[in-house]
Amino acid sequence: DGGITQSPKYLFRKEGQNVTLSCEQNLNHDAMYWYRQDPGQGLRLIYYSQIVNDFQKGDIAEGYSVSREKKESFPLTVTSAQKNPTAFYLCASSRNPRATNEKLFFGSGTQLSVL
Amino acid sequence: RKEVEQDPGPFNVPEGATVAFNCTYSNSASQSFFWYRQDCRKEPKLLMSVYSSGNEDGRFTAQLNRASQYISLLIRDSKLSDSATYLCVVNGKGYSTLTFGKGTMLLVSP
């Protein structure tokens, strides 16, 4: 079955530590996205990538980094510079980011908490 | 004006009720509109796209008013399983980004 796989489901970070969230898709989608969701808030875009080896900052990129070395994979690193990392992180993909009415497909999310 | 603004909720309704959610957006150039459903601690899932002429999918009806920059979702004959948060989503600054509202929580009780 095609889909998006995020891992781990739960992740704990110690202060000063970098952690990496995994996102893999086998939908052959060109575009991939990382969103952050805080309780009672909408999803906010961290980074997105429309093509391999290229990515763009979203609205809240500070303290995060990404890579897109393969079409299928878009890992997110939460660096020690992100002072408030506790949130629910969602990875998503879309087939053609330039098409209108393009739908997003989401992974099941990673809950990151600070120890 | 916030980019995408939704009714704050929560909406508490009995089974069988009809409930309507409203959403306004600020970018008059927006072209794509969606309603997503999100269960607690789960990923959002597409409920329906919203088309200019309005569209219906079973008990769900979506309407778009471009002049007022307003989107609505109507749920008829509410079921317990409809309890969730409903997210209004609009394409925002560019082709490849969507802007999410904060969501409106619906609680359907027996």
Side-chain angles (χ1 to χ4, degrees):
Chain A
D1 283 339
I4 302 178
T5 302
Q6 284 188 245
S7 62
K9 193 172 179 64
Y10 300 97
L11 185 59
F12 297 91
R13 192 192 91 166
K14 294 180 182 177
E15 201 165 330
Q17 184 182 41
N18 292 354
V19 292
T20 297
L21 283 60
S22 171
C23 179
E24 303 277 332
Q25 55 102 355
N26 60 5
L27 299 166
N28 199 32
H29 283 176
D30 287 327
M32 296 187 74
Y33 312 81
W34 275 105
Y35 288 92
R36 169 181 172 142
Q37 188 175 34
D38 294 277
Q41 301 296 316
L43 278 67
R44 292 184 290 168
L45 184 65
I46 304 172
Y47 269 98
Y48 66 98
S49 168
Q50 297 184 25
I51 196 168
V52 174
N53 292 323
D54 185 49
F55 49 83
Q56 307 295 329
K57 291 183 179 180
D59 299 317
I60 54 165
E62 188 173 347
Y64 300 96
S65 65
V66 293
S67 62
R68 187 90 187 273
E69 297 176 1
K70 299 185 299 180
K71 188 175 186 178
E72 303 80 22
S73 179
F74 192 41
L76 173 74
T77 296
V78 184
T79 74
S80 56
Q82 173 48 248
K83 298 305 179 189
N84 185 22
T86 297
F88 188 49
Y89 290 85
L90 287 158
C91 179
S93 71
S94 65
R95 187 166 44 100
N96 179 359
R98 287 179 169 77
T100 57
N101 224 29
E102 192 66 11
K103 304 172 184 61
L104 286 181
F105 295 79
F106 284 91
S108 56
T110 294
Q111 175 64 48
L112 175 62
S113 303
V114 176
L115 288 176
Chain B
R1 185 179 187 181
K2 292 181 183 175
E3 288 191 65
V4 177
E5 198 156 1
Q6 296 187 238
D7 290 333
F11 283 40
N12 288 282
V13 302
E15 270 186 294
T18 295
V19 60
F21 302 136
N22 300 316
C23 172
T24 56
Y25 61 95
S26 60
N27 184 354
S28 60
S30 297
Q31 296 187 38
S32 304
F33 310 91
F34 308 90
W35 284 102
Y36 279 75
R37 171 198 167 123
Q38 186 176 25
D39 293 291
C40 189
R41 295 291 190 186
K42 297 287 181 71
E43 73 274 22
K45 293 184 179 177
L46 180 66
L47 180 65
M48 56 198 303
S49 301
V50 186
Y51 302 114
S52 297
S53 54
N55 47 300
E56 188 174 304
D57 183 2
R59 299 181 292 109
F60 299 86
T61 301
Q63 299 277 356
L64 168 64
N65 183 323
R66 286 188 185 272
S68 301
Q69 293 177 211
Y70 167 93
I71 306 159
S72 66
L73 176 69
L74 183 77
I75 305 176
R76 292 181 299 278
D77 188 23
S78 298
K79 312 291 184 192
L80 294 176
S81 57
D82 293 334
S83 297
T85 296
Y86 291 83
L87 305 174
C88 176
V89 185
V90 177
N91 82 332
K93 299 173 186 174
Y95 292 108
S96 58
T97 61
L98 299 176
T99 302
F100 288 77
K102 292 184 178 181
T104 302
M105 183 182 289
L106 172 65
L107 300 170
V108 182
S109 54

